[in-house]
Amino acid sequence: MYKALQDPPYRCLFSLKPLVDYWTQLETGADLYGTQLVETIQSGLADAPELLKPIEDFSVLETHQDLVRTLMSAVLPRAFWDTGLSGAVVPFTLRPVFVSPKFRTLFLNNDGSFRGRIKVKRDEFVRARLIRFYLLILKRFYGIDKDLDYPLVTVVQDLETGLDRHFEIRPDLRFVEAHRVGSPPRLTDTDLATIMRNLKDPEAFFEFLPPENFEFHGFTIIQAVDVTLSEVISALERDLIDRSSISSKEGFALLQDRLRTLLRRPELKVHLAVMKNDQVLLLNSACEMTNCCIFANSRHVDIRQFKGSLYDRAVQGDGIFVVRDLAEEPVLSRVDENIVEVGIRSMMVAPLRFQGQLIGTLEVGSPNPDEFGPGEELVLSQILPLFSMAVKRSLDELENRVDAVIKEKCTAIHPSVEWRFRKAALRHLEHLGDAESAGMEPIVFKDVFPLYGASDVRGSSELRNRAIQSDLVEHLGLALNIVHAAAEVASMPIISELSFRTERQLEMVRNGLGTGDLTSILKFLRNVLEPIFPRLGNLGPLVTDPIETYKRAMDSSLGMVYRERKNFERSISCFNQRISSYLEQEEAEAQATLPHYFNKHQTDGVDYIIYVGASMIENGAFDILDVRNLRLWQLMVACGIAWHAEDVRKSLKVTLDATHIILVNHSSVSIRFRFDEKRFDVDGAYDVGHEIIRSRIDKATVKGRDERLTQPGKIAIVYSRPNEYQEMINHISFLQGQDYLNDDLESLELDDLPGVQGLRALRVGVKLESTRLASRVAKFAP
């Protein structure tokens, strides 16, 4: 409080003499009115010489109040006397002497002391006053003219509204004179330079400018300027930086108080609505806020409930929507009626947008009708960007919490179904802490249609075994060369035995690899032969040369011959990369047409599963025609994959033949996300049948032919129902007309698989030389 501030260190006396001198200087150039006024002042002062001396007894001013008022008209014009916020105080104090009525009402208590609070620390206020002391002394006696611009803002309570008002107090020292007392020390240029460099620490210079050597006469003019608008907006900026400002009860209550001060409405009620998907999160000072999260601390309302309400009308426009009196509105929705029931009569609703997207609304309401006009709209419009940024930041934080829940519970989620996981995560956050709902709700998609396809390398296991066999033959052969060379140099029975064992291992490998052979052979090489190579190398160059050849042939990271197997693995990798890249590009276009779940897996080839249905689409917009279109797309993609497989085959070190298969199933299934395994799986015993078929059809054989269903360059389509057959016949016929497929369609019956009977298949060759097919796949760069 002002009264707690310490007295100035220098003697300060109120005096009218500087003001009298001002009037005296006007005498020469004054007009007729000014001349008469100066004469009146001089005549009055002749009868009141005490006014020309420093005044400590202010009753003297009361005795000559008319003359004092005339003198003060130079600084407090009569035209602004009743409306102005200004006055005269004892220099460098807040002791009022002559103030306007409005100033007295706002800033002074009954005993004449100042009321309110200064928005700076006490020490900073005292330091600023001392700096002004020094600057005035330096200007008067040492010719150094320097100003201090130090804003002083005070907060007082409006007696009418009870709300805070902010005023900047601007001091004017033009009628303050510095006087010497005795003989102050003379200051050298070095002393003055030291003072100017250290003005921030004025207490240190009492030795240069002792308080007993100076005093101040006159008065300080102070003017109060209302800066409530700028101060409150600055405070709102600071408040809204804090993430808890709109999501904690205390923070929201403070924001409401700020807005009440800003709009000068003590009964103002503030509500904030945040849009999140199909929900509206309602926040106000009455919300139970405990988690500093807008989702957990808000009331959730379905966005459809706002249809046709005043809020709905407000967000349709670009500006602030003003309702003069809700009681006079011809039609009110249920939401609007709730507003009336809580006592709101007039209100402003402002849409909050971020980068053009609606993210919420800010509503300020009053129990009084017709409370808001253009002035209030203008003020509110200035702070809307602040609330938009705060809401956007809170939404981002909510998204981060949702992402954290999904990452913890579900790991990576396909974008097409992410919306469903986000809903579940939001409900999880909403009920976090409830004993009965510690985990996330089940995520099940019912009545979805599965589409499965695979492109495999024919005989990949046999090709891999051949490559391993070839590398082992080379590896053992190189080891045998070393042992034979050693036997020629040294006649040792143990070397003959090692030669025998190595030859037996080599013969075994040439006859074929069995389970565990690779491990046992490598163990023999590393534990039996390689440890004695240094000893054998001592036998001379005849042995060291094959040892060096052996070492050069080894793969540095694996410690074994890895030539043919590397060629095979690289060929498989190139094959998978080409097929996978093409499939992903095709799938991205299909995803844009119809959202669906897609999961791809790579081994010795590429297989994928697609699930599509109304339950997997957030807005439910789905038609069975979408599934038929996707099945045709799947067949066209299989043609493209076959083309790419043939194209990449030419550049591979190991020749790979690709086979292609599609499983058609017109029956819908349900899939459930398994939180323990963090993946989707079919839900229910009936739907497991599809998974069984999917896992076994690559081994299917044609009934009565002893022939694998899948053949290089052809697409096999497995089905079990007549309607599935007819649909695929139509698609095949269309693609034959498009020059994608050959005219070699076969209708086949399949041998029973374990647990699976009655399957049939269509098989058709892909026209790999087709320019139309090449043109289609060319737009998808490998």
Side-chain angles (χ1 to χ4, degrees):
M1 299 296 288
Y2 291 108
K3 297 174 68 175
L5 296 174
Q6 69 182 46
D7 292 333
Y10 298 96
R11 190 178 184 210
C12 299
L13 300 173
F14 180 81
S15 173
L16 292 172
K17 187 177 183 303
L19 184 56
V20 172
D21 291 343
Y22 167 80
W23 282 108
T24 302
Q25 292 168 7
L26 289 178
E27 179 180 4
T28 303
D31 55 20
L32 180 59
Y33 172 76
T35 300
Q36 291 176 347
L37 187 57
V38 171
E39 290 175 352
T40 300
I41 290 172
Q42 290 177 336
S43 175
L45 290 171
D47 296 330
E50 60 270 29
L51 292 181
L52 297 175
K53 301 175 182 179
I55 299 171
E56 296 186 69
D57 181 4
F58 292 156
S59 63
V60 174
L61 301 178
E62 294 293 332
T63 303
H64 305 287
Q65 57 180 327
D66 291 337
L67 178 56
V68 172
R69 179 165 295 195
T70 301
L71 285 167
M72 284 291 181
S73 65
V75 293
L76 302 175
R78 293 181 182 275
F80 300 103
W81 180 251
D82 293 328
T83 58
L85 289 171
S86 55
V89 299
V90 175
F92 297 112
T93 73
L94 291 174
R95 184 181 178 188
V97 179
F98 190 86
V99 297
S100 67
K102 193 170 182 180
F103 189 98
R104 181 177 297 279
T105 300
L106 269 174
F107 295 103
L108 300 184
N109 294 311
N110 293 334
D111 61 358
S113 61
F114 274 76
R115 65 186 184 90
R117 65 182 187 277
I118 296 177
K119 293 183 65 176
V120 295
K121 294 180 180 178
R122 176 181 178 276
D123 291 345
E124 292 179 5
F125 176 80
V126 172
R127 183 174 292 110
R129 185 176 59 186
L130 283 171
I131 293 173
R132 285 198 174 100
F133 285 152
Y134 288 128
L135 292 179
L136 194 59
I137 293 171
L138 292 171
K139 181 178 180 181
R140 172 68 177 81
F141 300 112
Y142 299 98
I144 298 176
D145 192 356
K146 188 175 181 64
D147 292 328
L148 173 67
D149 185 13
Y150 184 80
L152 179 64
V153 176
T154 183
V155 182
V156 296
Q157 189 179 68
D158 191 306
L159 298 179
E160 187 175 327
T161 65
L163 298 173
D164 284 346
R165 295 180 65 182
H166 300 251
F167 293 89
E168 182 180 341
I169 305 298
R170 298 175 180 174
D172 188 336
L173 304 179
R174 72 179 70 187
F175 294 107
V176 178
E177 296 177 343
H179 291 266
R180 285 177 175 167
V181 179
S183 300
R186 297 184 63 182
L187 299 181
T188 65
D189 291 343
T190 302
D191 295 335
L192 293 173
T194 302
I195 291 175
M196 296 307 296
R197 283 197 307 269
N198 296 278
L199 277 176
K200 291 184 178 179
D201 187 22
E203 296 92 338
F205 302 111
F206 285 164
E207 61 177 292
F208 294 106
L209 303 170
E212 63 270 16
N213 289 136
F214 299 95
E215 63 182 28
F216 297 92
H217 296 180
F219 59 89
T220 301
I221 305 168
I222 57 174
Q223 290 183 319
V225 179
D226 194 331
V227 291
T228 301
L229 181 63
S230 60
E231 287 291 313
V232 173
I233 290 178
S234 296
L236 280 171
E237 288 179 350
R238 294 190 297 271
D239 292 341
L240 291 171
I241 289 174
D242 185 354
R243 70 182 184 90
S244 65
S245 58
I246 65 173
S247 57
S248 70
K249 189 171 185 178
E250 296 77 11
F252 200 92
L254 180 59
L255 291 178
Q256 180 170 265
D257 288 341
R258 301 273 195 219
L259 290 177
R260 286 174 173 175
T261 300
L262 193 65
L263 297 172
R264 300 188 181 181
R265 298 291 189 277
E267 297 176 314
L268 194 75
K269 297 290 185 183
V270 178
H271 298 268
L272 192 63
V274 180
M275 311 297 181
K276 178 61 181 173
N277 299 331
D278 57 354
Q279 288 185 316
V280 178
L281 316 180
L282 299 178
L283 289 159
N284 57 54
S285 59
C287 287
E288 287 298 326
M289 300 182 178
T290 57
N291 297 318
C292 289
C293 171
I294 57 171
F295 193 83
N297 292 329
S298 57
R299 185 164 61 91
H300 306 168
V301 180
D302 193 306
I303 199 169
R304 291 172 295 185
Q305 294 187 29
F306 290 86
K307 191 70 175 176
S309 69
L310 296 172
Y311 291 95
D312 191 26
R313 290 162 56 187
V315 299
Q316 301 305 318
D318 294 327
I320 298 172
F321 184 72
V322 180
V323 181
R324 193 185 68 81
D325 190 351
L326 275 83
E328 295 182 359
E329 287 292 315
V331 179
L332 292 176
S333 70
R334 181 56 192 156
V335 171
D336 301 330
E337 291 173 352
N338 289 338
I339 298 173
V340 176
E341 289 173 3
V342 298
I344 300 297
R345 290 287 298 275
S346 59
M347 67 179 188
M348 293 188 292
V349 182
L352 300 176
R353 290 185 168 86
F354 183 81
Q355 295 182 348
Q357 181 182 0
L358 180 70
I359 59 175
T361 61
L362 175 65
E363 175 218 324
V364 293
S366 170
N368 307 313
D370 208 12
E371 277 277 71
F372 306 112
E376 287 73 22
E377 285 186 61
L378 184 62
V379 171
L380 189 62
S381 66
Q382 294 185 56
I383 62 172
L384 292 183
L386 303 178
F387 277 89
S388 295
M389 289 297 295
V391 168
K392 179 60 170 62
R393 187 177 64 252
S394 292
L395 283 172
D396 289 344
E397 290 171 355
L398 175 58
E399 285 297 306
N400 291 337
R401 294 191 68 177
V402 170
D403 289 340
V405 170
I406 293 176
K407 185 176 181 180
E408 176 190 354
K409 304 287 185 180
C410 319
T411 65
I413 299 301
H414 192 272
S416 64
V417 294
E418 185 178 348
W419 63 271
R420 180 63 184 86
F421 285 84
R422 290 193 169 277
K423 278 191 172 183
L426 285 171
R427 293 194 183 104
H428 175 71
L429 288 174
E430 183 177 9
H431 299 292
L432 206 60
D434 294 351
E436 297 179 359
S437 57
M440 284 180 64
E441 66 187 32
I443 296 179
V444 179
F445 294 101
K446 295 183 178 297
D447 298 323
V448 296
F449 295 91
L451 290 86
Y452 174 75
S455 295
D456 290 325
V457 174
R458 166 58 60 86
S460 60
S461 297
E462 184 179 348
L463 290 173
R464 180 178 282 102
N465 283 337
R466 286 180 187 172
I468 294 172
Q469 184 182 25
S470 178
D471 286 341
L472 280 178
V473 167
E474 181 181 353
H475 196 154
L476 287 166
L478 292 170
L480 190 60
N481 290 340
I482 297 171
V483 177
H484 283 169
E488 291 181 15
V489 176
S491 179
M492 298 174 64
I494 190 63
I495 294 178
S496 299
E497 180 189 316
L498 291 175
S499 176
F500 170 75
R501 291 175 64 184
T502 305
E503 289 172 352
R504 191 171 62 179
Q505 296 273 19
L506 183 59
E507 185 66 23
M508 181 182 68
V509 171
R510 284 174 175 159
N511 291 334
L513 285 177
T515 303
D517 286 350
L518 174 62
T519 302
S520 65
I521 292 170
L522 289 177
K523 186 177 180 180
F524 168 73
L525 288 165
R526 290 171 181 169
N527 296 341
V528 177
L529 289 183
E530 291 180 359
I532 68 169
F533 285 172
R535 168 70 184 278
L536 299 179
N538 295 330
L539 297 175
L542 191 64
V543 180
T544 55
D545 287 346
I547 289 177
E548 290 301 318
T549 301
Y550 179 95
K551 291 179 179 179
R552 286 194 297 270
M554 297 302 109
D555 182 87
S556 58
S557 59
L558 297 177
M560 60 181 291
V561 174
Y562 188 62
R563 198 183 324 278
E564 293 300 324
R565 187 177 172 187
K566 179 188 288 186
N567 290 337
F568 172 77
E569 297 294 353
R570 285 183 174 177
S571 297
I572 285 287
S573 177
C574 289
F575 175 87
N576 283 348
Q577 186 174 359
R578 171 73 79 89
I579 302 306
S580 182
S581 176
Y582 167 71
L583 179 59
E584 286 175 356
Q585 293 178 74
E586 283 272 17
E587 200 279 328
E589 284 201 358
Q591 190 73 240
T593 302
L594 177 68
H596 56 270
Y597 176 81
F598 173 83
N599 187 39
K600 173 173 64 70
H601 183 248
Q602 291 181 202
T603 49
D604 291 346
V606 179
D607 65 277
Y608 64 89
I609 184 70
I610 291 174
Y611 294 110
V612 61
S615 64
M616 304 195 81
I617 300 176
E618 189 168 8
N619 61 11
F622 176 79
D623 190 271
I624 196 64
L625 182 65
D626 295 320
V627 184
R628 293 170 56 193
N629 181 67
L630 206 55
R631 290 199 186 102
L632 176 57
W633 167 86
Q634 184 184 23
L635 187 55
M636 295 171 70
V637 169
C639 295
I641 290 176
W643 187 94
H644 275 289
E646 181 63 22
D647 186 63
V648 75
R649 182 174 183 267
K650 305 167 188 175
S651 61
L652 301 179
K653 289 189 177 182
V654 177
T655 301
L656 302 179
D657 293 321
T659 64
H660 315 282
I661 193 167
I662 291 173
L663 175 61
V664 181
N665 185 357
H666 276 199
S667 299
S668 62
V669 299
S670 295
I671 59 174
R672 176 186 293 267
F673 187 81
R674 308 291 181 186
F675 287 99
D676 52 347
E677 301 177 9
K678 294 181 170 49
R679 67 179 181 86
F680 276 106
D681 203 353
V682 291
D683 188 44
Y686 175 80
D687 296 333
V688 171
H690 177 269
E691 294 294 293
I692 294 174
I693 296 173
R694 193 179 81 178
S695 65
R696 297 176 180 173
I697 55 172
D698 64 317
K699 301 294 192 296
T701 55
V702 178
K703 197 167 191 177
R705 292 195 193 177
D706 191 26
E707 174 189 331
R708 290 280 294 273
L709 169 64
T710 54
Q711 295 295 325
K714 295 190 175 186
I715 300 173
I717 305 167
V718 178
Y719 67 93
S720 59
R721 299 182 181 184
N723 57 341
E724 296 168 350
Y725 165 81
Q726 189 57 54
E727 180 183 346
M728 298 313 296
I729 285 291
N730 293 337
H731 294 338
I732 291 170
S733 178
F734 168 72
L735 293 182
Q736 287 173 332
Q738 294 293 307
D739 206 31
Y740 283 16
L741 297 173
N742 293 323
D743 294 328
D744 58 353
L745 178 64
E746 303 172 84
S747 181
L748 307 170
E749 188 176 351
L750 303 181
D751 288 323
D752 292 342
L753 296 169
V756 183
Q757 297 84 34
L759 292 181
R760 299 187 63 86
L762 297 169
R763 188 168 65 188
V764 63
V766 180
K767 191 169 283 190
L768 299 174
E769 71 281 3
S770 168
T771 56
R772 296 190 69 175
L773 178 58
S775 176
R776 169 183 169 78
V777 300
K779 68 177 182 177
F780 300 102

